[in-house]
Amino acid sequence: MEFFRQSLSFLSDMLWGYPMIILLIGTHLFLSFRLRFPQRRILTAIKLSVTDDKEGNGDVSQLGALSTALAATIGTGNIIGIGTAVALGGPGAVLWCWLTGVFGMATKYGESLLAVKYRRMSEKGYMVGGPMYALEYGLNAKWAGVLFALFTAVAAFGIGSTVQANAISTLTTEEFGISPWITACIITLLVALVVVGGIQSIAKVCTALVPSMAMLYVLGCIVILCFNYEYILPSVELIVSAAFTTQSAVGGVAGGGIMLAARYGIARGLFSNESGLGSAPLVAASAKTKNPVRQALVSSSGTFWDTVVVCAVTGIVVVSSILSYTDAQILSAEDLDKVFYANIQAIMPNMDGGTLTKIAFSKIPFIGSTILVFGLYTFAFSTILGWCIYAQRAVEYLGGYKIVKAYTYVFLAVVFIGAIMELDMVWTLADIFNALMAIPNLFALILLSNVIAKETDKYLWNNNLDKDWE
């Protein structure tokens, strides 16, 4: 088992080395400049997300598609994941995570545009699409589409089920002393009751759940920042400076700090907002929309909310809570660094990201733990729902609708198993399959960038958002 654990860690380190970081950030930057920064139209994107496009073709509303995608992305990556990034990559990881979100909005825009442009009608009469269809019909590379779909179906067992179920069961055991086996049974039953109704049922639950859970969580973070008000500006200063220094998180030892911060920040950023992963387009293809650009804008707003807002706030909350852990006086930037690493070693010598987040929410008297528990439960549960539909779409591409039901049963079984697994190995597996999904999707985005740019010029920059797709 130890050899297997080390092998997974080696593979994860290899996949998330310099090549992946360059490919991911390079795609974000390339599309941002190539498309003339569609991030500038974020207010339009938000407005479209709450506008019902009744004249468009599709199966769910734009808000329903966005809510389902947000349900899959606003999860443990926003709570435990950010704490883990800070623990392993230092405070600078927060900035890299945030930058991944800012520039990742263009990537989410591009992949969602391609999903709608190349979507098809399924044998059951509903819309299906995603990177595998863009690869097959846009690049004539069905083999790459098959690989992406296969990686997605397997990745759902990590990022979309075991990680989330494990987070719920671990917290339930710690807070209430309930056996993971009991928690596993309850989670599996609840997921089964929702996913049996297909994408309409999942979208309906997510539309009702996502806004309220996100607002409550952000409100809790704001309350914590009120308690930590003296440390907000020092935290921001430390986050920015640490992102470009050579000091590493573990004990403040010199060497490799930039790479560690970038690696864990970018990895958690992708885990959180999934820009470049190719998952959100799987549900974006089902949206009722007049043209691909409208839904692309709506999808890009998901990255804005998830990472640019929620993850940034979480990162500042975690770092400010670490700085305020002792009564040490902060006089300079060097003091910031020393206080942070001294406190983080005192808090958790084993570098457990969940501990950091828990300590941060303990700042709120009486209800802090309750808000964290509720947030983790709802975030993780909704992520399972979102990833179930992602996996179903991938499996349908691989073998048709006839094998979707069988896969769903396996998915539910993995949710159950995930609730009783060890968390460290689950996170490593999630990172591995995130990378394997991202690679074919990112190459599709680069090779089809002319198609994305053409549609963007036609509908967005020429003010034709209300025109039907030709």
Side-chain angles (χ1 to χ4, degrees):
M1 181 59 71
E2 183 59 30
F3 173 77
F4 180 64
R5 193 189 306 274
Q6 291 177 359
S7 298
L8 289 178
S9 180
F10 173 79
L11 180 59
S12 178
D13 291 341
M14 182 178 67
L15 287 171
W16 282 107
Y18 283 111
M20 172 57 75
I21 290 178
I22 293 171
L23 178 61
L24 182 62
I25 294 297
T27 303
H28 290 350
L29 292 171
F30 170 71
L31 289 177
S32 292
F33 285 97
R34 181 71 178 85
L35 304 178
R36 292 189 283 167
F37 287 88
Q39 294 98 320
R40 292 182 290 153
R41 301 298 296 271
I42 182 59
L43 294 180
T44 301
I46 294 172
K47 180 180 178 181
L48 287 174
S49 69
V50 294
T51 302
D52 193 4
D53 196 348
K54 295 180 180 179
E55 299 177 9
N57 296 319
D59 305 302
V60 296
S61 67
Q62 290 179 309
L63 179 59
L66 175 63
S67 296
T68 303
L70 278 174
T73 55
I74 300 183
T76 54
N78 299 86
I79 303 178
I80 296 176
I82 297 300
T84 301
V86 171
L88 297 176
V94 176
L95 180 63
W96 286 106
C97 181
W98 186 78
L99 289 174
T100 301
V102 171
F103 291 103
M105 289 173 64
T107 301
K108 182 66 71 70
Y109 170 93
E111 61 188 5
S112 297
L113 188 153
L114 293 177
V116 177
K117 181 175 178 61
Y118 292 108
R119 67 184 180 180
R120 294 290 187 273
M121 186 74 73
S122 73
E123 60 186 75
K124 291 293 184 177
Y126 51 78
M127 292 292 185
V128 291
M132 55 274 202
Y133 293 91
L135 287 162
E136 178 177 354
Y137 297 105
L139 293 174
N140 196 29
K142 185 173 182 177
W143 64 270
V146 169
L147 282 179
F148 174 84
L150 181 62
F151 291 147
T152 302
V154 178
F157 294 145
I159 183 175
S161 55
T162 51
V163 165
Q164 315 304 328
N166 186 277
I168 293 174
S169 67
T170 299
L171 187 62
T172 302
T173 300
E174 292 176 354
E175 294 293 325
F176 308 108
I178 297 175
S179 168
W181 292 90
I182 297 175
T183 305
C185 291
I186 296 173
I187 298 171
T188 306
L189 177 60
L190 290 176
V191 172
L193 290 174
V194 178
V195 302
V196 70
I199 190 170
Q200 287 84 2
S201 174
I202 293 174
K204 188 177 295 185
V205 171
C206 291
T207 301
L209 190 62
V210 168
S212 59
M213 73 182 191
M215 288 178 62
L216 179 61
Y217 176 75
V218 171
L219 180 61
C221 287
I222 293 174
V223 172
I224 295 171
L225 291 177
C226 289
F227 284 104
N228 294 345
Y229 71 94
E230 293 181 279
Y231 298 93
I232 294 177
L233 290 180
S235 295
V236 174
E237 181 183 348
L238 180 60
I239 287 169
V240 174
S241 64
F244 304 103
T245 62
T246 58
Q247 203 170 46
S248 68
V250 184
V253 180
I258 296 176
M259 187 58 193
L260 276 175
R263 182 225 163 157
Y264 285 106
I266 292 172
R268 293 306 166 215
L270 175 59
F271 184 88
S272 175
N273 63 56
E274 299 176 12
S275 294
L277 194 62
S279 53
L282 294 166
V283 70
S286 300
K288 295 177 182 178
T289 183
K290 292 180 181 179
N291 58 67
V293 172
R294 288 174 69 94
Q295 182 55 38
L297 283 171
V298 171
S299 294
S300 70
S301 71
T303 298
F304 172 78
W305 292 120
D306 178 88
T307 304
V308 179
V309 176
V310 177
C311 281
V313 171
T314 303
I316 296 173
V317 163
V318 170
V319 174
S320 64
S321 296
I322 293 171
L323 289 177
S324 67
Y325 186 70
T326 65
D327 295 327
Q329 188 177 11
I330 298 173
L331 300 174
S332 65
E334 185 178 353
D335 289 331
L336 278 176
D337 186 78
K338 290 179 179 179
V339 169
F340 176 86
Y341 288 113
N343 285 355
I344 201 172
Q345 287 287 349
I347 294 170
M348 28 153 288
N350 295 324
M351 298 294 164
D352 177 9
T355 301
L356 292 182
T357 311
K358 188 173 181 180
I359 288 175
F361 272 82
S362 67
K363 294 271 185 177
I364 305 177
F366 306 113
I367 63 170
S369 177
T370 302
I371 293 175
L372 178 61
V373 170
F374 176 78
L376 186 56
Y377 281 170
T378 53
F379 283 12
F381 178 72
S382 63
T383 299
I384 295 173
L385 298 181
W387 266 90
C388 183
I389 197 66
Y390 291 165
Q392 288 176 340
R393 290 292 189 261
V395 169
E396 186 171 359
Y397 177 82
L398 291 171
Y401 185 79
K402 59 183 179 293
I403 67 171
V404 171
K405 187 181 236 183
Y407 177 88
T408 303
Y409 288 135
V410 175
F411 182 86
L412 292 172
V414 172
V415 170
F416 182 90
I417 294 171
I420 56 176
M421 288 183 66
E422 291 186 26
L423 186 59
D424 57 346
M425 189 181 299
V426 174
W427 278 105
T428 304
L429 284 168
D431 280 346
I432 289 171
F433 285 105
N434 279 2
L436 291 176
M437 281 181 65
I439 292 170
N441 181 57
L442 292 171
F443 278 112
L445 285 166
I446 294 170
L447 295 175
L448 291 172
S449 60
N450 285 337
V451 175
I452 302 171
K454 182 179 178 180
E455 296 288 341
T456 301
D457 289 339
K458 180 178 180 179
Y459 292 103
L460 181 59
W461 302 130
N462 288 316
N463 297 318
N464 291 321
L465 281 175
D466 291 327
K467 288 191 176 182
D468 291 328
W469 186 16
E470 297 176 1

